[in-house]
Amino acid sequence: MPREAIPDLPEHSLPFVYYHDKAPPRKRSIVVPKASSIDSHRVLPPETDGVKKKAATAQRRQDLAGEMLWTVVSPANWLEACMAGGPLPHDVKFNAFSVDLTGTEAVMYPGLCKGFNDILEKLNVATKFVMKITGENPDTTAPGSAEEGNENKLKPDLAMYPNTPEARESFTLVNTGDAGSKAGPNVKDSSPVTQAARALQARTVWAWAEFFVEVKKDPKISPFSFDPADSAATPFSYSEPHIESRGQLVEYAQQMTTRQHRLFMPMISIYRDLARFLRFDRAGAIISEPFNYLTKPDLLRTFVYRYTSMSQGERGFDPTAALASSAESTTFRNLADQYSHTRPHIHRALRKAATLGWPIHKLSFKAPRSADNNAIRSDSDRVDHEYLVGRPHYISRSMIGRGTTVFCAYDVKRKALVTIKDYWRTDSPGHLTEYQIYQKLWEKTDVSEPTFIPTLLGGGDISDDDDKGTLQRTMTDKIVAAHFATKSASADIPTPGLVHTRLVIKELCRPLGDFSEAKELAIAVYDALQAHRRAWKKFGILHRDLSVGNIMLYDGDEDGSTSSATRPIGLLSDWDLARTREQVENPLAVQMARSGTWQFMSVALLDNATKPHLPSDDLESAMHILNWCTLKYLPTRHSRKGPASLMHFIAEYYDYATPSNQGSTVKSEGVLHGTPAATLLNTGMGSLDHPLQTLLDRLSAICKIQYRNFPPEDLVDAINRGEPSHIPTDPDDDPNATEPRVVGLNGYADFMAAFAEALQMPWPPLKKDMLQAPDVSPYPSSSLLGYKRPAATLEDSSDQGGSSKKAKAQPSLYPGAESQATETSKQASEVEHDKSTDPGAASLATSGDGGSGSSGAPTAGSLRSQSVKASMKKSVPWPSAK
C-alpha cells in the first residue's frame, strides 16, 4: 500500500491525539527558547559552571519528549496504517515467547531476543535478518551523536540487523567475553542466563540497525501507561522519569534518522508482558495501545512478518539514497587530500564528511538542474542527479519538524563540490517553497548584478518514483487529521504535512561567527541587508528570519582562485519562511503567527504575538545579530566580568521568555531606550569611539525612533479593527511625498546609511575571543552553509527542528514557567507550524536548522553564482556612504 494511502479508521477506533508532554515544574532561572525543543528550551541554572552529563541527558530527553506530537491508535489500526501487508502464513507454527519476568530488566532480554529470532527462523528470513541484544554495548564504529561529540553512548536494548557479512562485521563483538551483562549483580558469570545473554549480544551500530526494541521493567520509568484498561485514554504519566523514558525513545529515532537516510522509523516499546508499536516521522509519532505479547503473540509476529516482507522503501529507508560502491567510497574519502590546499573550512568539511564508521551514500534523484552551473531558471530541465555524501556537516537535533541536514557533497557527473540542504518543508500550497523563492530571486538577474544570496543549482521535492511523481510525505499528519475530523476534535490546529526536499547549492561558506575581524562582521551583515532590500524592493519577497545562522561568509571559489584583493561577502540564506508582499500586506488573509529565530526577533514581535511580520522587524533583527556577535566574540564591558556573567547576560537579554510568551524585558527596555546590548571596552585604542560602537549606537537610535513614532500596539489594534491599511510603508516608495517623513525602520535608507558611513571609517583591530562565551549558541553546530537557527515562531515550528514550520508551533510549555520555546521551526503548515532547531544553521552553502554553535564549522550551502563571483571582483567594494 502506498505510504500516503491511509485507510479509513472505524469511528470507534479513532486516534487520540496528544500534542506535547507537560514537564513538571523545575527550579530554574532563565529559559532559553530555540527552534527545536531540544535546544529551544534550554534552561540555564543560576550557577553557570555547567551541568553534569546525567542531568544534561535528562534535560535533553525531556525536551525531545516535550516537542513530540503523540497519536494513539489500536494495535490493529497501527498495523494497517503503518505496516500494511498480508496476514500471517497459516501453515507456520511459531514457538511461544518465553520471557523471564521475575528478575531484572536485563533478564528479559534473552527470552525476547530468542522469541524474535524464532519468528525470523519460522518465516525463513533468518538469513536476511537477525535480532541482537545491544543494551550493554554502545556504537564504537563511528563518532558523533546528537551533540556532535566524539562518542555515542546510547545503547538501545535490542536491535534488528540485516544478516549480511558487512553488517555482521560491524555489530559482532570481537571478544564476547568482554561484553557487559545486565543480567543482574547477583548473577555469576557461569550462570546460564549470563551465558545465554552473551551469546546473543552485539554492538549497537546505528548505521546498520533496522529497528529497536526498548524494554522497561520498573513501572516508575515506563514511557507509557501499559494498563490496557485505561492507557488508551490516559497513556502518559507526567513525572520526570516517565517523560525522560519517552524522550529516550524519541532520541533513538532521532539518532537513527541521523545515521541513516530514513523517511520514518518503526520501534517497539515493551514493559514486562505488554508492548506498544511506534512509528516516528517528521510530523510526530503514531503509537499503538498496549497489548499482551505473551497471550497475543500474533501481533508481534505480524509486525515482524510484514516488516521483513517489505522493500527497503516500505521499511522507511529513502529509496533515493543507496550505499556507495567501494570505488565511489574511496573517491569520496580521498577528496580531503585533494582539497588539502584549498580553503581551510572546505578541507575541514571534507574530513568530517569522510569520518570513518560513517558509510558513504549515493543520492540519486531526478530534479531540475542548471545546465551552465549558474543559478537555476524556470526553464531548467529535469535531469538525473548523483551525489556522494558521508557524515552530515549539520544535523537537526530534533526528531519532529524540518529535520534539516546539510551535506558537503560531491557531484559525481560534474566532479565538483556542492552543498546539499536536505529537509522536510511544510506542505502548504498557499506559500512559495524555498526552491521557488530562490528561483524567483535569481530570475532575470544579470550575472554582473550582486545578489548576496546563495546560488541554487537545482533540486526540489523528492519523489519515490520519478515516473509517477509520488512525493515523499509524512503520514502522521494524516492520522491526526482523522482525529480532528470527528465531532470530539478539539479546536487545536492539527499538525501539517511535510514534504521531503533537497536543495543543491553551489557555494561552500563559513558561518558568520567565523569572521576574522570586526569590520568583516559588519560587512557581512551589510551585504545580507542588501540582499534583503533587493528581495523586498525588486521581487516583493520578505525574508522574515534574519539570524546569525542565516548569514554566511563566502570567500570565493573552493580552489582558492578568487583574487586575494577581494573581500569575503555575506550571503543571506534560508528563505523558507519568506512571504510575498501580498501576504505581508494582507495580514487578515493568513494565519497570524510569529516567525523567525527567537534570539534575533524584534521586540515588536516578541511582545505582540499577533503583529504582522514587516520589513522593520527584519531590520531590527540585523541590529540584534550585530550586538549578539559582538557580545559573544569581542571585548565588551560584560566579557570583562568573566564567562559566567557574560553568558548570563546574553541568556537574560536574548533567550529569556516570559510565561506569557513574550520576550525579555531587558531586551525590550534596551531597544525602546536606544541602548545597544553591547558596549565595547576602552582598550586604549579608542574602542569607545570604534566604528563598530558608533554603528551599534546609531542602529539603536534608529530603533528608538521607530518605536516612538510607530508603536506596534497601534498597528495591532488597527488590524484587530479590520484596518490593515495602517501598515507603515517606506517613504521612499511614495512618489507623491512633498516633505521629509520619519523613516525609522519603515525604510532602508537610515539603516543602510549607518552601515555605509561606519564602514568608511578606519577600523582599529579588536581582539576576537572564540571561547569567551563557549556555551552561548542559538543554534547547534552549523551545516556547510552556516549555522542554522531556531526559528522562533509561535507558530508550530518544525526543524524543529522544527515541528511544523509553517504553522509556527506554539512554544512548548516548559517546566514551571511554561516558557515559550518559541523558536518556531520552519516546517509546519501554512499556519506556519514551524519548529526549527537552531538559530544559526549550516554554513557551507545553505543554512540548516542549526547554528554556528561553538563548532564554527563552515556553513554548508553558501551558494555562489557567476553574479556573486562577478560582484566580488568588481561590484562589491567597501560600502560607500553615497
Side-chain angles (χ1 to χ4, degrees):
M1 182 176 67
R3 187 178 299 118
E4 64 278 3
I6 307 303
D8 293 331
L9 301 180
E11 186 172 353
H12 66 275
S13 61
L14 285 167
F16 293 87
V17 179
Y18 302 85
Y19 269 104
H20 300 289
D21 275 327
K22 298 175 183 177
R26 297 165 28 123
K27 295 180 180 178
R28 302 289 186 184
S29 61
I30 295 177
V31 176
V32 180
K34 294 195 174 192
S36 101
S37 307
I38 311 179
D39 279 312
S40 308
H41 305 174
R42 181 167 57 122
V43 172
L44 299 181
E47 56 285 358
T48 54
D49 55 352
V51 231
K52 292 183 179 179
K53 289 184 178 181
K54 186 174 182 180
T57 297
Q59 181 64 65
R60 182 176 69 249
R61 290 179 174 177
Q62 287 187 31
D63 289 339
L64 282 167
E67 72 181 8
M68 182 56 60
L69 179 143
W70 307 90
T71 303
V72 184
V73 299
S74 69
N77 280 330
W78 190 97
L79 288 170
E80 184 63 21
C82 304
M83 201 163 287
L88 284 170
H90 296 295
D91 57 345
V92 176
K93 294 185 178 180
F94 298 94
N95 295 324
F97 272 89
S98 178
V99 181
D100 187 348
L101 302 176
T102 63
T104 62
E105 172 189 307
V107 174
M108 297 173 59
Y109 298 167
L112 286 167
C113 191
K114 290 179 179 179
F116 278 105
N117 283 326
D118 175 72
I119 296 174
L120 295 172
E121 291 176 6
K122 299 298 184 185
L123 294 173
N124 294 319
V125 293
T127 57
K128 297 181 179 179
F129 301 95
V130 62
M131 184 67 78
K132 287 292 184 178
I133 298 173
T134 53
E136 272 298 287
N137 305 289
D139 192 341
T140 58
T141 64
S145 66
E147 288 64 48
E148 287 296 85
N150 290 323
E151 59 180 347
N152 188 326
K153 295 185 177 181
L154 299 178
K155 309 181 295 290
D157 296 327
L158 285 83
M160 180 174 282
Y161 291 113
N163 199 1
T164 63
E166 297 83 2
R168 288 197 300 271
E169 183 179 359
S170 292
F171 68 68
T172 299
L173 296 171
V174 177
N175 183 354
T176 56
D178 293 336
S181 172
K182 291 171 68 176
N186 298 323
V187 180
K188 298 180 179 180
D189 290 343
S190 60
S191 165
V193 174
T194 303
Q195 297 301 324
R198 285 183 172 176
L200 297 169
Q201 282 186 350
R203 179 186 294 109
T204 299
V205 183
W206 295 95
W208 284 106
E210 293 278 340
F211 67 83
F212 296 119
V213 179
E214 185 63 17
V215 182
K216 298 297 181 191
K217 178 73 183 299
D218 186 349
K220 297 179 181 179
I221 58 173
S222 62
F224 310 103
S225 167
F226 281 86
D227 183 353
D230 65 2
S231 61
T234 57
F236 303 150
S237 167
Y238 294 103
S239 67
E240 285 194 357
H242 293 284
I243 294 174
E244 289 168 24
S245 291
R246 285 195 288 281
Q248 181 182 25
L249 298 176
V250 181
E251 186 171 30
Y252 290 165
Q254 187 272 338
Q255 283 292 296
M256 196 69 136
T257 55
T258 291
R259 300 307 183 103
Q260 304 179 11
H261 293 263
R262 295 292 283 257
L263 305 178
F264 60 88
M265 175 68 203
M267 199 179 297
I268 299 175
S269 175
I270 288 180
Y271 168 70
R272 298 188 179 183
D273 57 350
L274 299 170
R276 285 182 184 262
F277 298 136
L278 299 92
R279 179 193 185 277
F280 292 92
D281 66 19
R282 292 296 177 180
I286 304 171
I287 62 177
S288 76
E289 297 170 356
F291 60 91
N292 191 309
Y293 64 89
L294 296 181
T295 60
K296 296 181 179 180
D298 278 357
L299 288 171
L300 270 187
R301 294 166 182 165
T302 299
F303 178 104
V304 175
Y305 170 64
R306 293 183 179 179
Y307 185 89
T308 57
S309 301
M310 290 176 164
S311 65
Q312 274 206 319
E314 292 170 327
R315 298 203 304 272
F317 293 88
D318 184 351
T320 68
L323 287 173
S325 67
S326 176
E328 291 168 333
S329 295
T330 300
T331 296
F332 188 81
R333 295 188 185 281
N334 289 338
L335 289 175
D337 292 335
Q338 296 178 29
Y339 286 86
S340 60
H341 302 296
T342 188
R343 310 280 183 190
H345 69 280
I346 296 177
H347 178 60
R348 291 194 300 268
L350 288 170
R351 288 184 59 189
K352 179 177 181 179
T355 300
L356 292 178
W358 286 75
I360 308 303
H361 284 81
K362 178 191 279 188
L363 305 181
S364 304
F365 56 96
K366 198 163 193 172
R369 178 49 157 97
S370 168
D372 58 4
N373 220 36
N374 289 321
I376 195 167
R377 307 290 178 170
S378 57
D379 58 352
S380 296
D381 295 331
R382 286 175 58 85
V383 299
D384 292 325
H385 292 243
E386 287 189 350
Y387 304 97
L388 297 178
V389 298
R391 180 181 181 180
H393 190 78
Y394 165 78
I395 303 168
S396 168
R397 297 184 185 183
S398 176
M399 179 60 215
I400 196 170
R402 292 169 56 78
T404 301
T405 304
V406 180
F407 297 95
C408 181
Y410 180 69
D411 187 329
V412 176
K413 294 185 177 181
R414 294 167 180 79
K415 302 185 184 307
L417 297 179
V418 295
T419 295
I420 291 182
K421 177 182 177 181
D422 186 300
Y423 67 108
W424 293 77
R425 69 167 181 85
T426 303
D427 188 4
S428 181
H431 292 295
L432 294 176
T433 65
E434 186 177 16
Y435 174 90
Q436 292 170 327
I437 289 171
Y438 272 123
Q439 193 176 60
K440 187 172 182 176
L441 294 178
W442 277 107
E443 200 68 33
K444 299 178 181 178
T445 298
D446 187 271
V447 293
S448 62
E449 177 186 355
T451 61
F452 303 104
I453 62 172
T455 307
L456 180 67
L457 295 177
D461 295 339
I462 303 300
S463 301
D464 279 341
D465 188 320
D466 290 330
D467 296 328
K468 297 180 180 179
T470 305
L471 295 182
Q472 295 178 351
R473 301 176 184 269
T474 53
M475 189 181 78
T476 299
D477 52 286
K478 298 180 183 295
I479 299 296
V480 173
H483 165 77
F484 282 92
T486 69
K487 294 180 180 180
S488 60
S490 70
D492 293 336
I493 300 172
T495 182
L498 305 175
V499 177
H500 190 199
T501 300
R502 288 193 187 113
L503 301 182
V504 181
I505 296 168
K506 187 173 183 179
E507 295 83 10
L508 283 75
C509 304
R510 294 181 287 132
L512 182 61
D514 198 35
F515 66 89
S516 59
E517 56 176 346
K519 189 171 187 178
E520 187 173 281
L521 167 65
I523 286 281
V525 177
Y526 178 76
D527 288 346
L529 286 174
Q530 294 189 75
H532 190 279
R533 178 175 59 184
R534 175 179 178 272
W536 178 245
K537 295 287 190 179
K538 185 174 181 178
F539 299 98
I541 298 293
L542 183 64
H543 190 279
R544 303 199 323 150
D545 188 20
L546 263 66
S547 73
V548 170
N550 294 338
I551 301 176
M552 299 166 294
L553 295 169
Y554 177 61
D555 297 302
D557 295 340
E558 59 271 10
D559 60 4
S561 62
T562 300
S563 170
S564 59
T566 60
R567 63 170 176 82
I569 62 173
L571 299 182
L572 180 59
S573 68
D574 208 359
W575 292 79
D576 48 345
L577 286 183
R579 293 291 176 265
T580 63
R581 182 182 294 273
E582 293 73 23
Q583 292 167 331
V584 171
E585 295 179 350
N586 252 325
L588 299 180
V590 296
Q591 167 116 7
M592 298 303 300
R594 287 177 285 194
S595 69
T597 300
W598 183 262
Q599 287 84 352
F600 311 109
M601 285 173 67
S602 71
V603 167
L605 287 174
L606 293 179
D607 291 349
N608 300 274
T610 59
K611 175 192 173 296
H613 196 127
L614 303 175
S616 58
D617 297 300
D618 280 359
L619 291 180
E620 183 182 327
S621 293
M623 179 192 71
H624 294 308
I625 291 169
L626 205 56
N627 276 276
W628 190 92
C629 289
T630 301
L631 286 168
K632 181 172 171 65
Y633 299 113
L634 299 175
T636 64
R637 62 186 179 88
H638 288 287
S639 63
R640 178 179 55 187
K641 301 176 183 178
S645 176
L646 174 60
M647 290 188 290
H648 181 88
F649 175 75
I650 293 177
E652 183 181 34
Y653 195 100
Y654 290 105
D655 301 330
Y656 181 74
T658 69
S660 58
N661 290 332
Q662 292 182 315
S664 164
T665 56
V666 178
K667 180 177 181 179
S668 177
E669 291 175 358
V671 172
L672 267 58
H673 289 86
T675 305
T679 300
L680 295 173
L681 282 178
N682 190 339
T683 60
M685 301 173 65
S687 293
L688 291 178
D689 297 321
H690 193 283
L692 176 58
Q693 190 64 60
T694 300
L695 177 58
L696 294 175
D697 292 341
R698 186 167 173 185
L699 297 180
S700 294
I702 295 172
C703 289
K704 178 181 179 180
I705 292 173
Q706 175 73 15
Y707 282 88
R708 183 180 62 196
N709 290 277
F710 305 97
E713 298 80 6
D714 293 352
L715 174 59
V716 173
D717 291 342
I719 291 175
N720 290 338
R721 295 193 303 268
E723 303 173 3
S725 59
H726 284 67
I727 293 178
T729 57
D730 187 346
D732 291 344
D733 294 338
D734 184 0
N736 299 318
T738 59
E739 58 184 27
R741 293 164 52 190
V742 176
V743 176
L745 299 177
N746 295 329
Y748 291 85
D750 291 351
F751 234 61
M752 302 300 276
F755 273 90
E757 292 171 13
L759 291 170
Q760 290 300 308
M761 303 176 185
W763 282 58
L766 291 174
K767 183 179 179 181
K768 181 182 177 184
D769 187 348
M770 292 290 292
L771 301 178
Q772 70 180 12
D775 295 332
V776 173
S777 167
Y779 32 79
S781 78
S782 109
S783 336
L784 298 178
L785 228 178
Y787 333 65
K788 185 56 193 156
R789 65 184 179 298
T793 48
L794 285 187
E795 316 167 298
D796 196 346
S797 112
S798 308
D799 199 56
Q800 191 232 274
S803 147
S804 158
K805 267 250 154 157
K806 292 211 170 169
K808 308 288 173 169
Q810 297 213 329
S812 308
L813 301 183
Y814 203 53
E818 288 190 328
S819 85
Q820 96 189 35
T822 71
E823 210 280 315
T824 81
S825 102
K826 328 176 150 186
Q827 247 187 166
S829 79
E830 172 30 346
V831 129
E832 304 222 341
H833 197 157
D834 256 5
K835 264 186 165 185
S836 132
T837 61
D838 287 337
S843 161
L844 283 181
T846 286
S847 13
D849 290 318
S852 90
S854 52
S855 74
T859 51
S862 66
L863 313 181
R864 173 181 63 72
S865 77
Q866 283 297 87
S867 354
V868 173
K869 183 176 179 181
S871 72
M872 289 180 62
K873 292 183 176 177
K874 324 183 243 186
S875 314
V876 188
W878 296 106
S880 104
K882 292 182 181 180

